[in-house]
Amino acid sequence: MTTTTTGRTTPTTGRVEVRASGAWTRVCGLADLVPGRGVAVLLPDGRQAALFLDRHGAVHAIGNRDPFSGAYVLSRGLLGSRDGRPFVASPVLKQRFDLVTGVCLDDGSVTVPVHPARVV
Amino acid sequence: MTTTIPTIVLVGHGMVGQRFLESLADRGVTGRARVVVLCEEPRPAYDRVRLSSYFSGTTPEQLSVVEPGFMERHGVELRLGDPAVRIDRGGRTVTARSGAVVPYDTLVLATGSYPFVPPVPGKDTTGCFVYRTVEDLLAIEEYAAGATCGAVVGGGLLGLEAAGALKGLGLTTHVVEFAPRLMPVQVDEGGGAALRRTVEDMGVVVHTGVGTREITAGPDGSVAAMRLSDGSSLDTDLVVFSAGVRPRDELARDCGLPVGERGGVVVDERCRTADPHVYAIGECAQAADGRVYGLVAPGYGMALAAAGAIAAATDAERARGPVFTGADTSTRLKLLGVDVASFGDAHGAAPGSLDVLYSDSRAGVYKKLVVGADGTLLGGVLVGDADAYGTLRPLTGTVPAVPPEQLLLPAGADAPAAAGPSALPDGAVVCSCHNVTKGAVRAAVAEHACTDVPSVKKCTRAGTGCGSCVRTLTALVDDELAAGGTVVDKGLCGCFAHTRAELHEIVRVGRITSFTRLLDEHGRQEARGGEGCEVCRPTVASLLASLAPAVGASGYVLDGEQAALQDTNDHFLANLQRNGSYSVVPRVPGGEITPEKLIVIGEVARDFGLYTKITGGQRIDLFGARVEQLPKIWARLVDAGFESGHAYGKSLRTVKSCVGSTWCRYGVQDSVRMAIDLELRYRGLRSPHKLKSAVSGCARECAEARGKDFGVIATSNGWNLYVGGNGGADPRHADLLAQDLDDTELVRLIDRFLMFYIRTADRLERTSAWLERIPGGLEHVRDVVVEDSLGLCAELEGLMEQHVAGYRDEWAATLDDPERLSRFVSFVNAPGTPDPTVRFVPERDQVKPDLEILAGPALPVRTLQEASA
Ligand code: SRM
Ligand SMILES: Cc1cc2nc3c(=O)[nH]c(=O)nc-3n(C[C@H](O)[C@H](O)[C@H](O)COP(=O)(O)OP(=O)(O)OC[C@H]3O[C@@H](n4cnc5c(N)ncnc54)[C@H](O)[C@@H]3O)c2cc1C
Ligand code: SF4
Ligand code: FES
């Protein structure tokens, strides 16, 4: 029984990069992402980001820590959109975070960090 | 003022007696008085109105109208099987059959009626019955087992009900009515004719205009035939007398209290008899208007009046209290499946009144309205189609906005909808069982913030009696919510204006296999082209998964676009825990497990450092796995023969079992085998909410089957199937759907039930809430899944067959596919690195999450309800 868990290196149509600590970091190939589903990224400074691909091909990255539970799990939340703006709902207690601003849609006083992301 | 607390004695614990006790409790009287109830029957008050439903599977316990714990909570002393035999008004005591002498300060008679048996020769022959109590029905049922033919004396309301029961027991059934038509009191000649046709179509032989002369016995001394007044004779094995009722006023007569000419203890508007210490309520009383009522609603009115008077501390308070001055005798019934209703002046007795008629003899429909010269609606009779009853009855006494003939047309035939509940005045009584007006219903919505029918029922009691008003009530509540600005948007979420049930149909009929197509073609305008949201994505995922075989989609929940719709639990086929780790629950069908498998679970838990716990669902949960460990753990479990337990899915969880007849000295069936069979059949079935089940080997119910969505309890003849049970936050006991089923019948009914639920329930609506919500409730579900009234059953069974045939273990399938496995990493850019924030500390020889490492700014946590909504 195989239990390989290595990332795939199938040909990509692009590379995905996330900006942290002033530099762009290549994190995966576009083909590693499934539209609507997030992945967690380990940044060079040890922080974690949650990276999403929306159905129109745009990528978004925010901090992976869910400020309500403390768990590093926002990458496992469900992607959605409201008025055309993408958000992720935490898998723990369902609070939603705007992927563009990092603001919590259910409690405006809470924000998570936003990391610029791009496909090159 | 006396220093001892006063004693209130109630004689008779029927429907009205119980309502009286409730009213006493509501008014706080039970807290300051001793209340003693002498009850002749061996069981506490039950719903006599629905007595006949015993023959369609309702148990006597389910007929109870006493909330569990009521007597204990209010300190009421209930003496079952101990009737009052004598009243001493001078000494103010009541003597019971047991010999007990109970002193009273206030005595309330609620002794009901007894069935009148005409004095025909042979009326006491073995095989003659009456139809009034649970014990009567049990006796009829037992006797009918050895009979082939039965006759009912009396073609009134109760006679037809009894005939329905005999028919249901498989007897050739006759009804003998002295009057020239059936139900002579309620319906007119035309209505009687329509009723007769329909009743005859059902195979009941109707004899009208003839009386019973004699009951003759056969050589064994039991009933053999009936001689009729026209000289003819009718062979029959069993006779049920249903020739009307008479008030049980003998106790009152014997102690010298005045009774009416035709019986009934004479009372005033507050239901007090000539003796200020004695009251009489319900069918045993002759009300202030000189009438004796044989219906439950007027009895409730009397119960409230008497309780009000007894609770009053002063005469002035008493004078302001409720009174009972009379009631209307409108009725709606479903007799042998025929809808019959009559209300107001049904016979057009008022001078100058006119009849408006609609009749369709082919369809067995007859409707008549009685209208006054000025257009006032005075009353009417509806046979075969009584849907309009809910609006017509409250309109009685008013001049309807629509011409009467239009009120009678069947729906769809040009009938204007104008006679809906919005046409009713506020004072109109919507629920006659509990005398609830339209105004009170509106107030419940507007002032008491009730937002749905169940809460309005709770708040006003409307709809909790005979149930005939529920349709009108529902329409009224919806109207009122809409009027109050609550946009009753039944849409699933901001993305779809459809309900889950509607989306189910759209997906099925349109053979839609992708979320984006569904959203772009059927979503709200503003949501098309978007991503959907956290509500509709998993809902649609579940629909696509349960319909996958039928619409030609992949049933594997990790495939393609489906993968992005699932909650993290479904995505990783495990349950997320508070620190970002996951739990693993292998399926243990029926809770039966071999020592070898137990050892494997123990070894896996030990090797991966997992916390282990026996769950409430008869299996074992392993907590604290990181995502990248999940495939390794499952590789070991699958090798040992385990499969996914779907603890993460809105799908079948467990079918719990008791040890059953194999080991248990009480067991009557092999409950473990049945539980395993059911669990294997329905495993993996995606549904609106999780599904739980249990199978008990006998009525002791050790598996707690009645707390489950579908529960099975063994009987000596097979299995009883219960549905709609729930534990959790709002527990509900499951209702009996069908009795004494063999294995095949049981499975067939569960197939249909589950598929019908999956098709029609809302998102996150357990079967219990669904059953409470859907119009018609349990009866409707029984019609659909047992009687196949919608002709759906073949299709529902087909869908389940496809599910069973298409089932594959999700974990085995995942392990077989390297591409799927590649998702199980903590970091996309560092697949070999475990998440450093998932850490554990020791606790009671095992581990628990290290929460310190996650600590950050404290934030308010939303409640469970908000979170799972
Ligand atoms: C593990 C277990 C508790 C235990 O240690 O015994 C458990 C654990 C959870 N239950 Fe439960 N329930 C467990 C038996 C029950 C039972 C008892 C039973 O099934 O006999 C009930 C009451 C019966 C019922 O459901 O009617 C129960 C009623 C609930 C409810 C309330 C449901 C309701 O209709 O009110 C929730 C919340 C929900 O589903 O929305 C819930 C939700 C949960 C969740 C899924 C909460 C969550 O989202 O994290 C828990 C996660 C389990 C995990 O991570 O593995 N759990 N839960 C039990 C697992 C049984 C199993 O083997 O699958
Ligand atoms: C089959 C059937 C169908 C019906 N359908 C309808 C319907 O659709 N709509 C409707 O409105 N009504 C209907 N009714 C009538 C309705 O059931 C009665 O109006 C209602 O039960 C009256 O309540 P009650 O408490 O006055 O009398 P009951 O319910 O008869 O209760 C009286 C109780 O007092 C007990 N008792 C009598 N004497 C003594 C004593 N000396 N000591 C102690 N206890 C005593 C009796 O055993 C009985 O339990 C139906 C009745 C039957 C039988
Ligand atoms: S429910 Fe009956 S058969 Fe099952 S264990 Fe309990 S007593 Fe035994
Ligand atoms: S009219 Fe009987 S419950 Fe409302």
Side-chain angles (χ1 to χ4, degrees):
Chain A
M1 173 94 4
T2 167
T3 54
T4 331
T5 52
T6 39
R8 287 181 305 160
T9 48
T10 33
T12 58
T13 49
R15 294 194 315 272
V16 181
E17 297 185 345
V18 172
R19 194 171 168 85
S21 316
W24 289 99
T25 308
R26 184 201 153 160
V27 295
C28 62
L30 191 57
D32 292 325
L33 300 180
V34 178
R37 188 96 242 169
V39 295
V41 172
L42 191 57
L43 297 170
D45 59 6
R47 288 188 296 162
Q48 297 189 19
L51 174 67
F52 299 90
L53 172 64
D54 71 23
R55 64 183 275 207
H56 305 292
V59 288
H60 311 271
I62 58 172
N64 195 27
R65 182 174 179 273
D66 168 19
F68 291 91
S69 63
Y72 288 71
V73 293
L74 288 186
S75 60
R76 300 182 205 150
L78 279 169
L79 190 71
S81 68
R82 201 178 64 162
D83 306 329
R85 290 169 71 92
F87 65 79
V88 63
S90 164
V92 182
L93 293 175
K94 306 270 157 54
Q95 288 91 350
R96 297 164 302 163
F97 298 90
D98 188 309
L99 290 183
V100 179
T101 62
V103 174
C104 174
L105 299 176
D106 301 291
D107 180 349
S109 66
V110 178
T111 47
V112 292
V114 177
H115 300 277
R118 66 182 184 193
V119 182
V120 291
Chain B
M1 270 271 95
T2 48
T3 44
T4 53
I5 62 162
T7 304
I8 300 170
V9 175
L10 171 69
V11 179
H13 192 224
M15 301 181 74
V16 173
Q18 173 59 20
R19 187 73 186 85
F20 169 76
L21 293 177
E22 286 166 16
S23 183
L24 279 190
D26 287 347
R27 292 166 182 276
V29 180
T30 46
R32 52 178 198 263
R34 173 181 180 219
V35 181
V36 181
V37 185
L38 296 179
C39 172
E40 177 184 56
E41 294 188 59
R43 61 190 78 243
Y46 53 86
D47 192 344
R48 210 177 296 289
V49 172
R50 292 198 305 127
L51 189 64
S52 298
S53 69
Y54 169 76
F55 289 119
S56 50
T58 309
T59 61
E61 291 69 39
Q62 287 169 326
L63 284 175
S64 172
V65 292
V66 185
E67 207 183 291
F70 176 89
M71 300 294 163
E72 296 76 10
R73 232 180 4 264
H74 298 290
V76 176
E77 299 166 38
L78 176 65
R79 305 198 178 179
L80 293 179
D82 196 11
V85 291
R86 196 172 54 253
I87 299 169
D88 172 2
R89 287 203 288 129
R92 275 203 236 146
T93 59
V94 186
T95 308
R97 191 172 57 193
S98 62
V101 177
V102 190
Y104 67 81
D105 295 277
T106 305
L107 175 67
V108 179
L109 302 174
T111 47
S113 305
Y114 67 88
F116 170 67
V117 178
V120 294
K123 66 181 170 53
D124 296 322
T125 315
T126 310
C128 287
F129 298 92
V130 293
Y131 198 86
R132 175 89 194 167
T133 65
V134 166
E135 273 54 43
D136 292 337
L137 266 54
L138 296 175
I140 291 172
E141 184 181 42
E142 192 186 337
Y143 195 83
T148 54
C149 182
V152 176
V153 178
L157 199 148
L158 295 186
L160 292 183
E161 234 181 274
L166 296 189
K167 195 92 197 76
L169 288 169
L171 304 187
T172 308
T173 305
H174 297 264
V175 171
V176 181
E177 169 57 52
F178 186 67
R181 62 172 184 275
L182 293 174
M183 279 180 70
V185 182
Q186 285 85 4
V187 308
D188 60 6
E189 214 174 298
L195 193 57
R196 176 182 189 130
R197 249 187 324 272
T198 324
V199 169
E200 283 177 339
D201 280 351
M202 289 168 184
V204 173
V205 190
V206 179
H207 313 258
T208 50
V210 284
T212 309
R213 274 282 159 74
E214 189 189 353
I215 314 280
T216 52
D220 63 349
S222 56
V223 173
M226 230 160 87
R227 237 169 18 84
L228 303 180
S229 59
D230 60 2
S232 66
S233 165
L234 190 67
D235 287 343
T236 184
D237 306 319
L238 181 159
V239 174
V240 177
F241 286 105
S242 183
V245 295
R246 298 287 184 271
R248 289 189 67 171
D249 52 16
E250 64 273 10
L251 282 173
R253 279 178 200 272
D254 291 349
C255 67
L257 284 172
V259 296
E261 222 170 86
R262 298 168 64 204
V265 190
V266 176
V267 297
D268 66 12
E269 294 185 340
R270 292 187 170 74
C271 297
R272 209 189 267 207
T273 67
D275 178 340
H277 296 283
V278 184
Y279 291 75
I281 54 177
E283 289 194 345
C284 68
Q286 184 194 76
D289 63 351
R291 294 174 66 180
V292 175
Y293 289 92
L295 294 172
V296 74
Y300 285 168
M302 292 186 231
L304 299 188
I310 292 168
T314 61
D315 286 347
E317 196 184 314
R318 186 168 300 129
R320 285 193 307 270
V323 293
F324 180 83
T325 53
D328 90 282
T329 48
S330 307
T331 31
R332 177 180 186 178
L333 327 134
K334 207 158 181 128
L335 290 167
L336 292 148
V338 195
D339 237 353
V340 181
S342 84
F343 57 95
D345 177 7
H347 296 286
S353 62
L354 301 168
D355 289 354
V356 181
L357 279 180
Y358 170 89
S359 131
D360 175 353
S361 35
R362 223 166 10 115
V365 174
Y366 172 89
K367 304 191 207 180
K368 181 184 85 170
L369 295 186
V370 180
V371 183
D374 61 351
T376 309
L377 177 63
L378 296 175
V381 175
L382 308 170
V383 176
D385 170 10
D387 278 353
Y389 174 73
T391 29
L392 287 176
R393 180 177 46 80
L395 281 174
T396 309
T398 69
V399 182
V402 183
E405 52 281 8
Q406 294 202 359
L407 292 173
L408 282 185
L409 290 177
D414 268 353
S422 50
L424 299 177
D426 260 359
V429 174
V430 179
C431 171
S432 55
C433 285
H434 292 287
N435 198 19
V436 182
T437 60
K438 173 175 169 184
V441 172
R442 291 182 49 188
V445 175
E447 288 153 32
H448 301 285
C450 298
T451 52
D452 52 15
V453 175
S455 53
V456 171
K457 279 183 169 179
K458 229 181 208 150
C459 174
T460 63
R461 278 171 174 268
T464 59
C466 68
S468 70
C469 62
V470 172
R471 258 173 102 147
T472 311
L473 186 66
T474 308
L476 208 53
V477 171
D478 284 352
D479 269 15
E480 203 50 36
L481 284 173
T486 318
V487 183
V488 205
D489 187 340
K490 300 213 166 115
L492 178 66
C493 59
C495 311
F496 286 98
H498 305 280
T499 62
R500 181 188 173 283
E502 287 162 353
L503 287 178
H504 182 282
E505 285 315 283
I506 292 171
V507 168
R508 189 179 64 89
V509 175
R511 299 181 73 79
I512 293 177
T513 55
S514 96
F515 174 75
T516 41
R517 192 181 139 205
L518 188 68
L519 181 65
D520 294 351
E521 291 176 10
H522 299 277
R524 296 183 199 261
Q525 264 326 316
E526 63 273 22
R528 295 189 183 182
E531 305 284 342
C533 73
E534 78 282 10
V535 172
C536 57
R537 290 172 78 111
T539 306
V540 171
S542 151
L543 287 179
L544 293 176
S546 56
L547 283 170
V551 301
S554 161
Y556 178 74
V557 300
L558 279 188
D559 269 350
E561 187 203 49
Q562 280 270 70
L565 301 177
Q566 311 282 349
D567 273 322
T568 179
N569 285 0
D570 279 283
H571 190 61
F572 288 118
L573 305 169
N575 291 41
L576 179 71
Q577 304 300 315
R578 56 187 306 171
N579 66 340
S581 68
Y582 287 81
S583 74
V584 168
V585 188
R587 186 167 294 293
V588 179
E592 183 183 83
I593 186 163
T594 60
E596 283 69 28
K597 282 190 161 175
L598 271 177
I599 290 167
V600 171
I601 290 187
E603 286 173 347
V604 168
R606 186 195 54 209
D607 297 352
F608 289 87
L610 305 174
Y611 167 78
T612 57
K613 180 178 184 303
I614 307 288
T615 72
Q618 296 188 343
R619 46 192 188 172
I620 300 170
D621 205 341
L622 314 174
F623 294 84
R626 285 190 310 271
V627 275
E628 67 273 13
Q629 290 179 313
L630 289 170
K632 299 181 187 128
I633 292 169
W634 273 104
R636 298 252 311 255
L637 292 172
V638 168
D639 274 349
F642 285 104
E643 60 177 23
S644 168
H646 295 101
Y648 45 81
K650 298 290 177 244
S651 54
L652 181 80
R653 293 290 161 87
T654 61
V655 182
K656 300 211 285 190
S657 76
C658 76
V659 63
S661 60
T662 319
W663 291 91
C664 177
R665 64 202 161 114
Y666 292 117
V668 289
Q669 305 286 345
D670 187 349
S671 49
V672 178
R673 182 197 45 83
M674 181 52 79
I676 295 173
D677 287 355
L678 294 178
E679 183 153 347
L680 296 182
R681 181 167 183 83
Y682 303 118
R683 62 188 165 181
L685 180 66
R686 270 4 196 224
S687 57
H689 205 315
K690 57 192 176 193
L691 286 169
K692 298 183 176 184
S693 176
V695 183
S696 280
C698 84
R700 284 168 190 76
E701 244 286 71
C702 299
E704 301 172 307
R706 287 193 63 199
K708 301 296 172 205
D709 296 277
F710 58 105
V712 179
I713 302 178
T715 70
S716 42
N717 303 321
W719 308 100
N720 284 356
L721 173 58
Y722 293 82
V723 296
N726 208 156
D730 204 357
R732 181 181 191 279
H733 265 139
D735 293 317
L736 182 67
L737 185 71
Q739 264 174 309
D740 292 332
L741 304 164
D742 66 27
D743 290 8
T744 322
E745 289 164 345
L746 175 69
V747 168
R748 188 186 303 136
L749 283 192
I750 300 176
D751 282 3
R752 295 171 177 180
F753 172 78
L754 291 179
M755 277 301 174
F756 185 52
Y757 159 68
I758 290 174
R759 173 174 291 197
T760 55
D762 274 341
R763 179 184 97 91
L764 292 187
E765 187 177 44
R766 290 284 290 268
T767 55
S768 58
W770 169 75
L771 206 57
E772 295 280 335
R773 174 183 60 84
I774 57 166
L778 178 70
E779 287 308 317
H780 175 61
V781 171
R782 187 179 286 128
D783 280 351
V784 174
V785 308
V786 183
E787 312 296 339
D788 199 9
S789 63
L790 298 181
L792 271 181
C793 288
E795 187 184 331
L796 298 176
E797 287 171 34
L799 284 170
M800 190 61 83
E801 279 313 324
Q802 282 168 325
H803 161 76
V804 174
Y807 170 82
R808 275 190 73 198
D809 173 30
E810 289 161 5
W811 263 110
T814 304
L815 296 173
D816 280 348
D817 184 340
E819 204 169 295
R820 288 166 182 170
L821 280 176
S822 68
R823 288 174 196 154
F824 291 84
V825 293
S826 285
F827 301 106
V828 67
N829 60 337
T833 311
D835 182 347
T837 69
V838 176
R839 295 258 286 276
F840 302 91
V841 291
E843 169 101 328
R844 293 190 295 276
D845 298 333
Q846 297 199 63
V847 297
K848 70 171 184 184
D850 178 359
L851 295 180
E852 226 128 272
I853 198 171
L854 306 176
L859 289 169
V861 168
R862 289 200 296 168
T863 65
L864 175 72
Q865 256 161 13
E866 286 171 85
S868 61

